[in-house]
């Protein structure tokens, strides 16, 4: 039943799209912290919103099981109905958007949040959408005091926090030149990806030209000074002996999101000031960012077997060949299990498959024992630092954990965060206790090895 609510900011958080594949897991994760006195959670009021109240009621029952579902308000909102979105956003401090693909459905939600002065987080992994929102709305969001942060899921917080974690291991005078992330997905059962992620990838191929046009139309961002030459492209298939993986380049959003954070850090060397932060936090923020060093960054998908990598190559070829035409895209989206060798299916994984899946993301950093002695554009790296992030299944477990922890930080530490604007997650949440919160909720951050490379 839809519960009427007064037209005011009555809620700490509203989850939009909670009945979707990812959204229902976000609801389940959020319920763990609703009025949780054990964790001193700042989440005191929560509502669900979407087009179909009946489906949201079913989601709430599923997410609450085996307990009785709490009496959460269920609100009607439709991304095709801007007035309903604006009314919704005026009722909440923070909106968590789980309605994708975001290039199709995200724009009006961001617009409504900014008009209402509401903060916004999502789990988007689409560079075109994120960069377009920044281009269109950054100024307006700053004025409205609306903090808009995309990629607050597996895309791209592990990459951002993992890069930062590796970068902070390079104590002076050492300096990194490049950090390469290797993602390894593991499971005792088959691994089934989120269909929404696959649909976003298909649309990303279709709109690659628009992304390039957008980037060319915008002013060039500041580029960090990185000791040594840029890394070479290398072979298409790599065997990374240090971590025992075969790997191929992964065209995810992670690398572009990390670069956006590094550009923002170059423009703001002490990070982004909070809306009402204390002198103590100012010092903490400045000290934190002083330990983060820029480096070239890339992401690869890894497998312990060469056969596993060939499977990823087949998926990439299918997307590249068919994603550029309307007919090809219709085939990909109609028969994802065929063109991804069963890796993506419209039905999604079973609960058993979700529970059995894990990830490891290795960060292999190469750099110099003394960065000051290396002129830009020359020099061979002589030091290697390997770190790793591990955690549960990426799409339905890790992503909700990350999104909810970012939401809790935003609710409880809003005065330490920027007043408003459109940003990637790293530059916003980097100096907070996000890493510690993720570690308390199933993820680990480890230093694996530090060694000097042969001359």
């Amino acid at each position: 039943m839809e519960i009427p609510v007064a037209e005011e900011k009555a809620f700490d958080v509203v989850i939009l799209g909670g009945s979707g594949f990812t959204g229902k897991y976000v609801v389940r994760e959020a319920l763990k912290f609703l009025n949780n006195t054990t964790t001193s959670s700042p989440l005191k009021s929560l509502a669900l919103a979407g087009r179909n109240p009946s489906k949201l009621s079913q989601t709430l029952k599923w997410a609450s099981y085996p307990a009785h579902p709490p009496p959460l308000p269920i609100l009607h909102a439709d991304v095709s109905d801007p007035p309903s979105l604006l009314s919704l956003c005026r009722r909440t401090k923070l909106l968590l958007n789980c309605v994708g693909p975001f290039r199709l459905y995200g724009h009006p939600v961001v617009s409504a949040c900014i008009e209402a002065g509401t903060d916004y987080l999502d789990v988007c992994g689409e560079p075109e959408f994120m960069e377009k929102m920044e281009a269109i709305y950054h100024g307006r969001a700053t004025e409205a005091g609306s903090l808009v942060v995309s990629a607050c899921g597996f895309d791209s917080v592990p990459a951002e926090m993992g890069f930062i974690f590796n970068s902070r291991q390079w104590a002076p005078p050492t300096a990194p030149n490049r950090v390469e992330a290797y993602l390894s997905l593991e499971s005792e059962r088959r691994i089934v990806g989120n269909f929404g992620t696959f649909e976003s990838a298909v649309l990303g191929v279709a709109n690659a030209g628009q992304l390039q046009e957008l980037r060319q139309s915008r002013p060039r961002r500041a580029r960090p000074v990185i000791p040594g030459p840029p890394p070479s492209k290398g072979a298409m298939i790599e065997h990374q002996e240090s971590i025992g993986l075969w790997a191929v380049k992964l065209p995810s959003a992670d690398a572009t999101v990390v670069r956006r954070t590094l550009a923002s850090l170059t423009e703001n060397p002490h990070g982004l000031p909070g809306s009402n932060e204390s002198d103590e936090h100012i010092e903490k923020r400045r000290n934190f960012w002083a330990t983060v060093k820029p480096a070239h960054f890339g992401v690869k998908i890894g497998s312990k077997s060469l056969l596993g990598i060939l499977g990823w190559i087949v998926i990439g070829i299918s997307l590249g060949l068919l994603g550029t035409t309307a007919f090809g895209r219709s085939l990909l989206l109609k028969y994802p299990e065929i063109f991804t060798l069963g890796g993506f299916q419209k039905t999604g994984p079973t609960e058993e498959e979700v529970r059995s899946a894990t990830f490891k993301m290795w960060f292999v950093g190469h750099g110099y024992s003394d960065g000051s002695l290396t002129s830009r554009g020359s020099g061979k790296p002589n030091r290697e630092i390997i770190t790793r992030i591990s955690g549960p299944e990426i799409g339905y477990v890790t992503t909700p954990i990350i999104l909810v922890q970012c939401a809790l930080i935003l609710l409880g530490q809003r005065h330490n965060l920027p007043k408003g604007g459109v940003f990637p997650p790293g530059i916003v949440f980097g100096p907070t206790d996000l890493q510690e919160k993720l570690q308390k909720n199933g993820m680990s951050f480890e230093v694996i090895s530090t060694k000097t490379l042969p001359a």
Side-chain angles (χ1 to χ4, degrees), residues 29 34 69 152 156-157 172 192 209 229 233 248 253 269 280 288 367 397 413 444:
E29 185 68 19
L34 180 61
C152 294
S156 293
V157 168
V192 179
K233 290 185 178 180
V248 65
E280 180 182 359
F288 175 86
V397 184
Q413 305 174 39
S444 65

Side-chain angles (χ1 to χ4, degrees), residues 21-313:
F21 277 126
T22 300
K24 67 178 187 177
Y25 285 92
V26 171
V27 173
R28 186 165 73 176
E29 185 68 19
L31 290 178
K32 298 177 184 177
F33 297 92
L34 180 61
N35 291 313
N36 189 325
T37 56
T38 303
T39 60
S40 302
S41 171
L43 179 58
K44 306 301 181 185
S45 54
L46 174 68
L48 310 183
R51 293 182 302 172
N52 192 321
S54 176
K55 284 187 177 180
L56 289 171
S57 295
Q58 294 172 11
T59 293
L60 185 57
K61 291 180 182 178
W62 174 87
S64 306
Y65 183 83
H68 187 74
L72 297 188
I74 294 178
L75 314 174
H76 178 269
D78 191 330
V79 295
S80 65
D81 180 11
S84 74
L85 291 176
L86 182 58
S87 175
L88 177 71
C89 293
R90 283 174 172 161
R91 303 182 190 193
T92 186
K93 300 174 185 176
L94 170 62
L95 186 136
L96 306 184
N97 188 11
C98 301
V99 182
F102 292 88
R103 63 169 40 87
L104 299 181
Y105 308 118
H107 191 152
V109 184
V110 172
S111 178
C113 280
I114 293 172
E115 185 171 348
T118 293
D119 293 328
Y120 168 100
L121 302 178
D122 69 31
V123 293
C124 176
E126 305 165 35
E128 182 194 359
F129 171 78
M130 292 185 278
E131 294 179 34
K132 183 179 288 187
M133 294 304 96
E134 182 182 56
I136 296 174
Y137 289 116
H138 179 70
R140 287 171 56 184
T142 302
E143 293 175 3
S146 173
L147 187 55
V148 176
V149 189
S150 286
C152 294
F154 190 80
D155 289 324
S156 293
V157 168
E160 291 249 72
M161 299 302 291
F163 173 86
I164 289 171
F165 181 70
N166 187 285
S167 172
R168 298 186 74 201
Q169 309 308 313
W170 295 80
T174 67
N177 169 262
R178 69 182 188 273
V179 177
E180 293 170 307
Y182 297 83
L183 172 61
S184 174
L185 304 178
E186 302 175 7
S187 178
E188 298 174 357
R189 300 172 179 263
R190 63 174 182 167
I191 298 173
V192 179
N194 186 319
F195 177 73
T197 300
F198 180 70
E199 185 178 11
S200 296
V202 172
L203 295 176
V205 172
N207 295 278
Q210 296 181 23
L211 176 58
Q212 292 304 317
E213 290 178 6
L214 172 64
R215 289 173 173 171
Q216 291 171 3
S217 69
R218 301 189 65 193
R220 186 177 292 273
R221 297 287 300 271
R223 293 188 176 183
V225 176
I226 300 171
S232 60
K233 290 185 178 180
M236 183 179 76
I237 299 177
E238 172 194 356
H239 185 229
Q240 177 54 254
E241 295 182 1
S242 299
I243 56 178
L245 293 178
W246 293 88
V248 65
K249 184 178 179 181
L250 180 65
S252 70
D254 291 345
T256 61
V257 171
V258 169
R259 284 196 289 269
R260 286 175 60 210
T261 282
L262 290 177
S264 184
L265 184 60
T266 303
E267 296 163 351
N268 306 273
H270 303 300
L272 303 176
S275 60
N276 190 27
E277 59 185 339
S278 64
D279 290 341
E280 180 182 359
H281 188 268
I282 291 173
E283 183 178 3
K284 176 185 175 183
R285 169 173 54 81
R286 287 172 172 258
N287 290 339
F288 175 86
W289 287 118
T291 66
V292 177
K293 303 172 183 63
H296 301 285
F297 182 70
V299 183
K300 298 181 179 182
I301 186 74
S303 174
K304 294 178 181 178
S305 71
L306 181 57
L307 184 61
I309 287 301
L310 294 178
W312 285 106
I313 292 175

Side-chain angles (χ1 to χ4, degrees), residues 190-195 198-199 202 311 314-315 318-319 329-348:
R190 63 174 182 167
I191 298 173
V192 179
N194 186 319
F195 177 73
F198 180 70
E199 185 178 11
V202 172
V314 169
I315 295 175
S318 298
L319 287 171
R329 291 192 293 275
S330 68
L331 288 177
L332 288 169
L333 297 176
K334 189 173 183 179
Y335 307 107
E337 65 279 356
I338 294 177
F339 295 103
T340 66
L341 306 178
F344 292 90
Q345 299 182 15
K346 288 187 176 181
T347 55

